[in-house]
Amino acid sequence: MEKKITYFENPGIENTEKVIELVKERKEELSIENIVVASVSGRSSVKVLENIPDAKIVSITHHSGFRGGDDLELEQEYVKKLENAGVAIYVGSHSLSGVGRGISNKFGGITPVEIIAGTLRLFSQGVKVCVEISIMAADAGLIPTDKEIIAIGGTAKGVDTAVVLKPAHMGNFFDLRINEIIAMPRP
Ligand SMILES: Cc1cc2nc3c(=O)[nH]c(=O)nc-3n(C[C@H](O)[C@H](O)[C@H](O)COP(=O)(O)O)c2cc1C
């Protein structure tokens, strides 16, 4: 089987539109229904919604307090658009850091789950994010684990990575399968 992977010259938000175009094509090709998007503000998820309105979209933001206090980083203008279209917006603990981050922040060192995150970042920030948000969505009961989905992530803002994967729950993390890379930044 031969498949296309698009590599971006640089990571970052400028790749958002192209990623969404490529996701739309691959979704049709594989008849995939579910798309999970990492979208801190909700902006990238709105772009996915506008371009792929027939998808079942889950939009995942940072957990409350990620930037301090108890604040959420979602922006209301995007939340409204997503809610009006029935898109699920999920806020919860990050599966590939979790309490492990609290341990390493306080005592130093690194926990096994953070090593998994670091290893996935060998591909790109976005590949790590795609895996992380798929587990979060599966554990929230928002996507099935018995069929392929498309996950979309990026580098801090916007999106630059998309993969086709078969999700898994936290408890059987190693059953998760990254089946296709649609796009990722090369450096
Ligand atoms: C749960 C979660 C974890 C994330 N982890 C990272 C990360 O480790 N590295 C990174 O560069 N971006 C990370 N991001 C950012 C996303 O990959 C993406 O660029 C961002 O959510 C897009 O948000 P926007 O739609 O507001 O632009 C994370 C986002 C979420 C929601």
Side-chain angles (χ1 to χ4, degrees):
M1 189 191 300
E2 287 187 21
K3 289 255 183 175
K4 188 175 88 173
I5 300 179
T6 300
Y7 295 106
F8 298 116
E9 289 199 16
N10 295 299
I13 191 167
E14 66 268 28
N15 304 306
T16 300
E17 277 72 23
K18 186 66 187 174
V19 168
I20 294 171
E21 182 189 316
L22 294 164
V23 165
K24 190 178 162 84
E25 282 171 21
R26 195 68 58 96
K27 176 191 179 297
E28 306 280 302
E29 181 195 320
L30 296 174
S31 303
I32 288 175
E33 289 180 355
N34 302 86
I35 300 180
V36 181
V37 191
S39 189
V40 171
S41 64
R43 185 164 177 265
S44 301
S45 293
V46 168
K47 289 193 173 183
V48 174
L49 173 67
E50 285 169 353
N51 288 282
I52 320 178
D54 62 324
K56 288 185 191 163
I57 302 168
V58 177
S59 179
I60 306 215
T61 185
H62 279 155
H63 66 74
S64 155
F66 186 82
R67 301 258 172 238
D70 288 325
D71 294 338
L72 276 178
E73 296 165 71
L74 283 165
E75 290 178 27
Q76 280 316 306
E77 65 168 300
Y78 305 128
V79 169
K80 270 195 207 123
K81 286 187 181 167
L82 295 171
E83 282 180 349
N84 286 343
V87 171
I89 300 175
Y90 179 72
V91 189
S93 302
H94 297 190
S95 60
L96 294 185
S97 52
V99 175
R101 178 162 294 158
I103 295 171
S104 48
N105 279 347
K106 186 165 174 75
F107 303 107
I110 187 166
T111 57
V113 75
E114 293 167 292
I115 294 173
I116 293 174
T119 307
L120 289 168
R121 286 192 180 105
L122 296 179
F123 291 89
S124 71
Q125 292 285 336
V127 168
K128 170 264 181 187
V129 172
C130 287
V131 171
E132 181 161 49
I133 60 171
S134 300
I135 295 164
M136 292 162 72
D139 281 357
L142 296 170
I143 51 166
T145 58
D146 61 353
K147 51 186 182 181
E148 289 182 331
I149 65 137
I150 292 176
I152 309 177
T155 309
K157 277 196 172 162
V159 292
D160 57 20
T161 301
V163 304
V164 175
L165 60 77
K166 195 169 154 298
H169 293 285
M170 256 188 204
N172 57 327
F173 170 75
F174 290 102
D175 290 341
L176 187 146
R177 285 286 168 272
I178 300 174
N179 288 341
E180 296 180 12
I181 294 174
I182 300 170
M184 60 180 253
R186 200 164 177 282

